[in-house]
Amino acid sequence: MWTNKMISSKILDYFGLYLKNSHHPPCITISSRKMSQKLNPNPTYDVIILGASGFTGKYVIREALKFLNIPSSPLKSLAIAGRNSSKLSHALQWAARSNPQPQIPILTADTTDPSSLRHLASQAKLILNCVGPFRLYGEPVVKACADSGCDYLDICGEPEFMERMEMKYHDKAVEMGSLIVSACGFDSIPAELGWMFNSRQWLPPAICNRIEGYISLESDKRIVGNLGTYESAVLSVANADKLQELRRSRPKRPRPVISGPPPHKGPMVHHLKEIGLWAVKLPSADATIVRRTLSCLAEAPRGLPGVNESTEQIERKEAFWSSIKPAHFGMKIASKSLLGVVHFIIVGWFIGHFGQTSIGRWLLLNFPSVFSLGYFRTKGPTEDEVASANFKMWFVGHGYSDGNLASQGNRKPDTEIITRVMGPEIGYSTTPIILVQCALVLLKERNNLPKGGVFPPGIVFGPTDLQDRLQQNGISFDVISKNAIN
């Protein structure tokens, strides 16, 4: 089945290296400017969840409440925010289930009211933004956080938004000490940590050349995405030219050096016998974000410097990054049946073609269930639909048993390593789990993380204990096989 992950960020061809211009310094930057002080060095709340009454937001509340004021958690104070206090109160009551409703402050803020967002950012160490589509509603929140020195995480899977925010606000975020990281949900933490996990299995003298990710969704019932996600997909198509224009306007950053020849393009649809799946190429936010992280590593092979790291922490970070080797990376969507892949192609065709014209977009936005073959509807999924779903993300790595073989002309890889990341339903279970765990890592390890700036999630959270935390909360990382291939 297809959920909000599948259409929102996977229709357009977002492949390509993450670029920079004169407004964006490299990932590792030594600035001559004195770091400005945060506007409020003693904020009232550790975390504020913005957009907490939305489809995903209420699940984020539920997940955050599990870690509020428990001895092992750095989350000691929490507030929720949005436009409608009544809806927020209902969302809080829903998230608390049968327990007495916790005394969580409810704050009013509107993405169309910059002053309300500035006030919100001044009260928090960290804002978790769940208000999408981000290309419509995200920038005012990022700006408020960058201006105030508040840290920011979101669940965005929209490359144009993320790259534009990096271009416009990186310098200000560095100056004010605001750490801004998008894609801290199913987009794109499983892909980021998943390729790193596969890369770490290639022990010397073996070396990886390419890693392909395969997203497979399973459910006893239909998974239904929400309308905001669907709108993001349609708007992505409508604004495709803006993404390309943005990338053309920015000088290229260094490419990572990858051992061996580039992979062949291959067929659009193929059968992966090793894991019993049919797959189709997936132009992907995940692939773009992984490449952004690889670009950062090309500039800073030892990772980004933290605010106030200990010598021991620096050594751990450098050891982690030394185990990660760059590889070609791509994503595909997979199904156990060829018919499932055909369904993906049909929905992608509808959005990709109808989204290019105003009348087509009107049809797509007014009849989402028709043009998504029932994958999207204006109402979110039921709790039973969420509980019955899960995902598997397979990573198939190809490389060489000895790195010296990679330099022998067009010699084909002779080794295959398959790993897997697996977890619950992607939009309303896995995404809240990941977002909250990223928040807990940030709160607990703030001194080990960059002072500020706009970064992809992998370069920030890769060397932390995020993978261990996810494994403790229902998202597994497994090595499936290591084989020699002809």
Side-chain angles (χ1 to χ4, degrees), residues 346-411:
I346 291 172
V347 175
W349 187 92
F350 276 140
I351 295 180
H353 286 75
F354 281 51
Q356 296 179 37
T357 65
S358 58
I359 184 63
R361 290 191 292 274
W362 184 87
L363 289 169
L364 290 170
L365 295 175
N366 283 276
F367 304 98
S369 183
V370 173
F371 290 101
S372 69
L373 304 184
Y375 293 133
F376 287 86
R377 65 189 184 205
T378 54
K379 294 183 179 180
T382 66
E383 290 193 61
D384 287 342
E385 287 171 332
V386 172
S388 68
N390 65 82
F391 81 90
K392 295 182 177 70
M393 188 177 286
W394 306 81
F395 296 85
V396 180
H398 289 104
Y400 301 91
S401 56
D402 189 320
N404 292 324
L405 300 176
S407 60
Q408 297 180 10
N410 290 322
R411 179 155 181 168

Side-chain angles (χ1 to χ4, degrees), residues 16 23 39 53 64 129-130 132 134 136 140 207 212 243 265 283 366 377 397 399 418 469 477:
H23 299 291
L39 296 185
S53 62
N129 187 12
C130 302
F134 288 87
L136 296 181
I207 193 164
E212 288 281 354
L243 175 61
K265 190 173 183 179
N366 283 276
R377 65 189 184 205
I418 299 178
R469 287 173 170 271
F477 292 73

Side-chain angles (χ1 to χ4, degrees), residues 27 34 44-45 110 114 126 138 155 217 240 256 326 353 445 460 467 475:
C27 277
K34 183 179 180 181
T44 306
Y45 308 108
D110 193 324
L126 170 64
I155 53 175
L217 305 178
H353 286 75
E445 300 189 33
V460 173
Q467 180 182 316
I475 299 173

Side-chain angles (χ1 to χ4, degrees), residues 306-486:
V307 175
N308 187 21
E309 296 174 285
S310 67
T311 301
E312 181 182 0
Q313 170 59 26
I314 293 173
E315 291 175 352
R316 282 200 302 268
K317 179 181 66 180
E318 292 182 354
F320 175 85
W321 288 123
S322 69
S323 71
I324 303 295
K325 303 301 180 185
H328 299 284
F329 183 78
M331 290 296 299
K332 297 186 177 182
I333 183 169
S335 172
K336 292 181 179 179
S337 72
L338 182 58
L339 180 61
V341 170
V342 171
H343 284 173
F344 299 152
I345 294 173
I346 291 172
V347 175
W349 187 92
F350 276 140
I351 295 180
H353 286 75
F354 281 51
Q356 296 179 37
T357 65
S358 58
I359 184 63
R361 290 191 292 274
W362 184 87
L363 289 169
L364 290 170
L365 295 175
N366 283 276
F367 304 98
S369 183
V370 173
F371 290 101
S372 69
L373 304 184
Y375 293 133
F376 287 86
R377 65 189 184 205
T378 54
K379 294 183 179 180
T382 66
E383 290 193 61
D384 287 342
E385 287 171 332
V386 172
S388 68
N390 65 82
F391 81 90
K392 295 182 177 70
M393 188 177 286
W394 306 81
F395 296 85
V396 180
H398 289 104
Y400 301 91
S401 56
D402 189 320
N404 292 324
L405 300 176
S407 60
Q408 297 180 10
N410 290 322
R411 179 155 181 168
K412 294 181 178 180
D414 64 358
T415 303
E416 176 186 82
I417 297 180
I418 299 178
T419 56
R420 183 185 65 199
V421 179
M422 184 169 63
E425 188 275 337
I426 63 175
Y428 303 97
S429 293
T430 289
T431 287
I433 289 170
I434 294 173
L435 182 62
V436 169
Q437 291 305 316
C438 286
L440 296 177
V441 169
L442 193 150
L443 291 173
K444 186 175 182 179
E445 300 189 33
R446 189 63 184 91
N447 283 339
N448 297 329
L449 303 179
K451 285 184 179 180
V454 182
F455 299 106
I459 196 68
V460 173
F461 293 112
T464 70
D465 66 348
L466 179 59
Q467 180 182 316
D468 292 337
R469 287 173 170 271
L470 296 182
Q471 290 184 251
Q472 294 166 10
N473 287 275
I475 299 173
S476 63
F477 292 73
D478 302 296
V479 177
I480 304 302
S481 64
K482 298 182 179 182
N483 296 308
I485 56 176
N486 296 323

Side-chain angles (χ1 to χ4, degrees), residues 44 97 107 164 232 234 270 315 320 340 370 397:
T44 306
R97 301 187 182 185
L107 311 177
R164 181 161 46 86
S232 294
V234 176
H270 77 281
E315 291 175 352
F320 175 85
V370 173

